[in-house]
Amino acid sequence: MPPGSCPCAPCPVSTPPSCAGGCFLRWMSPGCRTQVLHIKLPSCRLGYTDARAMWIVLLVLSLAAALFSLLDVWYFVRAFLAVLRSRLQPVVKDLLKEHTFSGLVLPHDLDFLLHMNNSRYLREADFARLSFFTRSGLFGSIHSLGAGMVMAACTVRYRRSLRLMEAFEIRTRLLCWDDKAFYVEQRFVAPRDGFVCAVLLSRQHIIGNSPDKVVQIMCKRKVESPEFPDEVMHWIDYNDNNSQKLRAESGISGNNKDQ
């Protein structure tokens, strides 16, 4: 270097083996003193913390995959949201009032014929019933009595297909009840023309108590069931006859009830 000259341009040098991932810059300061700056660059090697985070992510993804493989997760999520939404809505005081639950046909609802699969109607009707029983207060009355409710019978009649991205409404209403069960009708209605695409009739059996007591707790007085529609009476007769036939085939006494 000529006398009196003071170059200030940086002069990169190789990184020492003990500092992999860094870079040293050497230059001459105005006072002609050598200055060295170490710039640390991202390392290509994973440290202990990074490797641990990667394994945690892989473990979470594996558990999620196993959970979705073994359980119908979306069913429980939607059921929870249906109940939560109903709890946030005003309580329906009229037990016999029709309840509307909206839905939309999504790609995972389709079958090979590109319309909503017949099993999906039962699934959507389940969410609509959860919403109906929550808003009407029937669930609260059943739980307050320490009782339970299960579906004992169900019949679906399909009238017109629901296509991809088609909106529909499930109109649920309580028809009547006897000393063992509530009888519920659910209609899948297309809002665009009001056509009833499917009709579902179900028997909701009360365990550990009676429908009369549940309604009495909810309404604070004794309430008589509405008159049974003809189609419900025929449906009950069919179920009873079928039960007797199955019990006879199994050699079970006629006094035993279906479990």
Side-chain angles (χ1 to χ4, degrees), residues 132-151:
F132 169 73
F133 284 124
T134 301
R135 288 195 66 189
S136 64
L138 280 173
F139 265 158
S141 300
I142 292 172
H143 293 159
S144 67
L145 292 170
M149 181 169 60
V150 295
M151 179 183 287

Side-chain angles (χ1 to χ4, degrees), residues 2-257:
S5 64
C6 252
C8 295
C11 178
V13 297
S14 61
T15 302
S18 60
C19 298
C23 179
F24 286 96
L25 297 179
R26 181 190 301 156
W27 71 93
M28 300 297 294
S29 66
C32 294
R33 290 178 298 180
T34 301
Q35 304 288 335
V36 178
L37 175 66
H38 177 227
I39 301 176
K40 187 171 180 60
L41 300 176
S43 174
C44 295
R45 294 179 298 179
L46 289 175
Y48 172 76
T49 303
D50 296 330
R52 184 184 180 192
M54 181 184 70
W55 281 111
I56 290 176
V57 171
L58 290 176
L59 178 61
V60 171
L61 292 177
S62 300
L63 291 176
L67 187 65
F68 275 81
S69 300
L70 300 174
L71 294 175
D72 190 353
V73 177
W74 291 122
Y75 173 84
F76 293 102
V77 170
R78 288 200 58 195
F80 171 78
L81 293 177
V83 173
L84 178 62
R85 178 184 175 186
S86 300
R87 290 187 179 277
L88 297 177
Q89 293 176 327
V91 176
V92 178
K93 299 295 184 179
D94 188 354
L95 181 62
L96 302 177
K97 183 178 180 180
E98 186 178 79
H99 174 270
T100 301
F101 186 88
S102 299
L104 183 69
V105 181
L106 298 176
H108 64 262
D109 296 322
L110 303 180
D111 59 15
F112 291 109
L113 298 178
L114 299 182
H115 60 199
M116 190 161 84
N117 186 276
N118 55 8
S119 64
R120 288 291 179 173
Y121 288 84
L122 299 174
R123 182 188 180 96
E124 295 297 321
D126 208 5
F127 301 138
R129 280 195 308 276
L130 285 173
S131 180
F132 169 73
F133 284 124
T134 301
R135 288 195 66 189
S136 64
L138 280 173
F139 265 158
S141 300
I142 292 172
H143 293 159
S144 67
L145 292 170
M149 181 169 60
V150 295
M151 179 183 287
C154 177
T155 297
V156 186
R157 189 163 71 91
Y158 304 97
R159 303 182 70 231
R160 189 175 78 185
S161 298
L162 289 171
R163 299 293 179 178
L164 178 63
M165 302 309 294
E166 183 175 356
F168 60 89
E169 294 178 348
I170 304 176
R171 300 177 183 176
T172 305
R173 65 191 182 107
L174 178 62
L175 298 178
C176 50
W177 60 87
D178 55 23
D179 58 337
K180 297 182 180 65
F182 291 106
Y183 296 89
V184 180
E185 182 191 74
Q186 296 178 276
R187 297 185 177 191
F188 288 74
V189 181
R192 57 187 174 91
D193 58 3
F195 188 83
V196 179
C197 299
V199 182
L200 185 148
L201 181 62
S202 65
R203 180 177 186 263
Q204 306 295 321
H205 185 79
I206 300 299
I207 302 174
N209 219 295
S210 67
D212 284 328
K213 186 64 175 178
V214 172
V215 175
Q216 183 177 349
I217 290 294
M218 189 185 72
C219 299
K220 310 300 182 185
R221 60 185 178 88
K222 185 173 179 58
V223 178
E224 296 294 333
S225 169
E227 184 177 353
F228 280 62
D230 290 339
E231 63 270 23
V232 175
M233 293 297 297
H234 292 309
W235 185 63
I236 293 175
D237 289 340
Y238 159 76
N239 289 328
D240 290 341
N241 292 334
N242 183 254
S243 294
Q244 292 176 9
K245 177 183 177 182
L246 295 176
R247 287 196 294 268
E249 291 176 356
S250 303
I252 300 176
S253 172
N255 294 327
N256 293 339
K257 299 297 183 182

